[in-house]
Amino acid sequence: MIVKTLGAGAGGGLPQWNCGCPQCHAARSGVIAPMTQSSVAVSLNGADWLVLNASPDLRHQMQVTPALHPNGLRKSPLRAVVLTNGDVDHIAGLLTLREQTAFSLFATATTLQELASNSVFAVLNPALVPRVPIVLDQPFSPLPGLVVTAYAVPGKIPLYLEPQGDAPLNTTAMGETTIALRIAGGGRVMHYLPGCATLPDWLCDRLTEADLVLFDGTVWADDDMQRSGTGVKSGARMGHLAMSGPQGSLARLSDLRARRFFIHINNTNPALMPDSPERAALRAAGWELSHDGMEIAL
Ligand code: MLT
Ligand code: MN
Ligand code: ZN
């Protein structure tokens, strides 16, 4: 299995258009590499590709990835797209994929409903782009030889669907709004979880089978945004588990045998700075940050 990170960043990317935080500044001045918004491409044969989440940066991501270049006059190696939720950073790239070329679009019925209620997505001609509902825990095969099983993980509804004001919001809901993907092929297994609000025991156990884990790296600490002065929301409020702390991903996933990378890394995450203590702690725990263009041969 070939796994390419098309984009390692969270919503907004790095640098984010309106942000002057140290990481965005470092990216603008060439000290650290920029990151586009989170998306991953997977292939068994190098010729047919599955894309996990369609980021707003997909056009650029495909342009800098020769394996995804057209293989005919109006023909693409992209065979299928699977969505893990309905947030803007994971669906806006579908608009780039209009232009009358066939591929299959897989998402839960809940996420497909969110697309259906936004009429702009009607630019994807249903005769060419079938929208295939994912049934949780039921394996499906978006590419020959590749078997994907989606399962619910704790998370919340997309930002643009959140109730206004003080209405209660379940940020650890289990269901079709936030899914993880188990992808098996060529005798290897990867799990992709770009959004995950908590790590209950069953989920830690489930990930022990993996050869590769790509996990939610949005925030280092729950209060990254408050501490950096960039915002008031906690990681938990955004549906994203912190890397650090006793319930954080580093501590909770210390038993993995998998190669492990964070993805969906927010620009406010201090671990992006190469010489930071946060980056050193993450490395000491056996993790790396994924980066745009990263390729893993499993
Ligand atoms: C998130 O992952 O929290 C969302 O992508 C937020 C957003 O839509 O910007
Ligand atoms: Mn996101
Ligand atoms: Zn920033």
Side-chain angles (χ1 to χ4, degrees), residues 84-102:
T84 62
N85 68 4
D87 263 323
V88 171
D89 55 347
H90 289 164
I91 64 170
L94 292 173
L95 301 177
T96 294
L97 298 177
R98 66 196 190 283
E99 320 288 11
Q100 307 298 323
T101 286

Side-chain angles (χ1 to χ4, degrees), residues 19 21 24 267:
C19 191
C21 80
C24 285
N267 59 77

Side-chain angles (χ1 to χ4, degrees), residues 11 87-89 159 238 240 264:
D87 263 323
V88 171
D89 55 347
L159 182 58
M238 298 187 289
H240 296 293
H264 193 280

Side-chain angles (χ1 to χ4, degrees), residues 1-2 42-51 76-82 103-104 106 140-148 183-188:
M1 192 174 355
I2 311 165
V42 182
S43 178
L44 270 187
N45 59 7
D48 302 294
W49 289 84
L50 165 66
V51 165
S76 169
L78 175 70
R79 294 274 166 274
V81 174
V82 179
F103 67 94
S104 299
F106 295 86
F140 61 97
S141 188
L143 287 181
L146 209 62
V147 179
V148 178
I183 304 175
R188 297 284 186 272

Side-chain angles (χ1 to χ4, degrees), residues 10-12 16 37-38 85-90 156-160 162 194-195 216 218 233 235 237-240 264 266:
Q16 179 174 305
Q37 296 164 82
S38 76
N85 68 4
D87 263 323
V88 171
D89 55 347
H90 289 164
K156 68 162 185 69
I157 55 175
L159 182 58
Y160 58 87
E162 288 185 10
D216 184 343
T218 311
K233 278 189 189 171
R237 171 62 185 77
M238 298 187 289
H240 296 293
H264 193 280
N266 203 49

